[in-house]
């Protein structure tokens, strides 16, 4: 997948190109990430990318010209049919379904603003979609862009080894993850659940699914309302309801 990130702080993206799963995706060629700096497309002595807001008010606004020139360069780098996304609190909140559909895109251009935001004429004319990673304000779009890339790159076949893709499965698309344990069996007086120490894989699978259902019911019940439950999941939920203290 080809991604072009537009930002006045391109070095920030080392956080995903140089580490972990996304770093390996880059080194193995599953992900190509180009960083494009609007400052490259300025022509004045001070390389100005921002200016004062019309109508007054605090802070500065990113100028349309350098950002649009960066978008042109980004679209060219990614290949014609790139989807241009701007990360902002005004966007649709990212969820796993959106991540999966973004992973199917041939190329993405991710626009990260700074200051008070980007001249609205850029959003109107060049941005296909605004996406938010949650209802809170950040100092720039870069961290949001990196969150999106990390989530999307995990969907690319071959990026997650078999062991890790199991993690995705156990996430069971739409349930919270089950608890995880590793050695030692006893840690400060707390033991690993016995079921996990045996070798009964079917029993372990069922225990993990029940744990995911129980956690989702308790912590995020609204996720259960949106999700079709298999017959087995319905049975396990009934068991959980019966076991719940009144
Ligand atoms: N919740 C978010 O995804 C998000 C994205 C960008 C941002 N700030 C940027 C937006 C334009 C100037 C700073 N804050 C929050």
């Amino acid at each position: 997948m080809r991604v072009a990130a537009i930002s006045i702080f391109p070095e920030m993206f080392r956080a995903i190109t140089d580490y972990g799963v996304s770093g390996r995706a880059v080194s193995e060629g599953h992900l190509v990430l180009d960083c494009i700096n609007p400052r490259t497309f300025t022509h004045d002595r001070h390389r100005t990318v921002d200016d004062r807001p019309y109508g007054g008010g605090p802070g500065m606004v990113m100028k349309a010209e350098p950002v649009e020139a960066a978008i042109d360069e980004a679209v060219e780098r990614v290949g014609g049919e790139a989807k241009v996304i701007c990360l902002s609190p005004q966007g649709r909140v990212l969820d796993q379904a959106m991540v999966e559909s973004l992973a199917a895109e041939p190329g993405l251009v991710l626009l990260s603003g700074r200051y008070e935001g980007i001249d609205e004429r850029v959003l109107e004319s060049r941005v296909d979609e605004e996406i938010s990673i949650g209802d809170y304000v950040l100092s720039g779009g870069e961290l949001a862009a990196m969150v999106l890339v990390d989530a999307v790159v995990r969907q690319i076949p071959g990026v997650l080894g078999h062991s890790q893709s199991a993690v995705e499965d156990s996430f069971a698309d739409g349930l919270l993850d089950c608890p995880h344990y590793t050695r030692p069996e006893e840690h400060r007086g707390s033991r690993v659940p016995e079921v996990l120490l045996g070798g009964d894989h079917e029993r372990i699978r069922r225990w993990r699914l029940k744990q995911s259902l129980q956690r989702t019911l308790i912590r995020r019940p609204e996720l259960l309302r949106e999700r079709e439950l298999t017959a087995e999941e319905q049975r396990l939920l009934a068991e959980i309801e019966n076991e719940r203290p009144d």
Side-chain angles (χ1 to χ4, degrees):
M1 165 175 253
R2 295 189 63 92
V3 177
I6 297 172
S7 164
I8 61 170
F9 297 135
E11 289 299 299
M12 285 182 72
F13 289 84
R14 291 293 181 87
I16 53 172
T17 59
D18 293 10
Y19 302 90
V21 167
S22 52
R24 203 168 45 252
V26 170
S27 54
E28 291 174 358
H30 295 295
L31 170 69
V32 177
L33 180 72
D34 284 318
C35 294
I36 294 156
N37 188 339
R39 217 177 283 284
T40 311
F41 305 93
T42 58
H43 309 292
D44 63 301
R45 192 151 55 97
H46 299 290
R47 319 214 64 189
T48 309
V49 290
D50 63 314
D51 201 340
R52 289 177 300 114
Y54 279 117
M60 304 290 272
V61 175
M62 291 183 82
K63 293 172 65 61
E65 187 55 43
V67 174
E68 289 183 357
I71 292 173
D72 291 342
E73 172 67 19
V75 169
E76 203 178 309
R77 296 269 190 94
V78 161
E81 32 230 276
K83 182 186 272 270
V84 180
I85 294 168
C86 180
L87 288 303
S88 91
Q90 286 73 42
R92 189 153 65 104
V93 177
L94 187 68
D95 63 12
Q96 197 63 24
M98 286 166 68
V99 167
E100 287 164 12
S101 71
L102 290 169
E105 293 287 338
L108 296 176
V109 172
L110 302 179
L111 176 54
S112 298
R114 281 270 155 173
Y115 310 107
E116 298 309 307
I118 300 166
D119 187 299
E120 189 63 18
R121 290 166 288 189
V122 177
L123 302 183
E124 282 164 358
S125 66
R126 307 298 305 278
V127 171
D128 299 314
E129 188 176 1
E130 287 185 75
I131 293 180
S132 167
I133 62 166
D135 290 331
Y136 37 82
V137 178
L138 301 170
S139 310
E142 289 84 1
L143 290 172
M146 286 188 258
V147 163
L148 185 151
V149 171
D150 186 279
V152 167
V153 86
R154 297 171 63 83
Q155 300 299 317
I156 297 171
V159 166
L160 288 181
H162 292 294
S163 59
Q164 291 164 301
S165 58
V167 171
E168 298 290 299
D169 294 347
S170 71
F171 200 77
D173 61 272
L175 295 180
L176 300 185
D177 204 1
C178 62
H180 300 285
Y181 302 86
T182 188
R183 291 181 298 183
E185 278 185 27
E186 174 158 340
H187 171 68
R188 295 176 190 238
S190 176
R191 288 190 52 72
V192 171
E194 290 305 317
V195 62
L196 299 179
L197 302 176
D200 184 340
H201 296 292
E202 174 53 22
R203 193 167 160 241
I204 290 168
R205 181 196 63 79
R206 215 171 37 251
W207 179 85
R208 285 174 168 164
L209 177 55
K210 186 172 180 179
Q211 288 292 315
S212 289
L213 285 162
Q214 187 161 40
R215 278 179 155 192
T216 310
L217 179 66
I218 292 165
R219 300 182 191 186
R220 298 288 305 278
E222 77 281 5
L223 292 180
L224 283 180
R225 283 195 286 278
E226 290 154 23
R227 190 176 178 287
E228 297 241 326
L229 295 174
T230 65
E232 177 183 43
E233 289 165 348
Q234 288 173 36
R235 262 199 320 278
L236 289 170
L237 258 187
E239 275 181 37
I240 293 163
E241 300 280 8
N242 290 335
E243 290 157 6
R244 279 183 92 172
D246 297 328

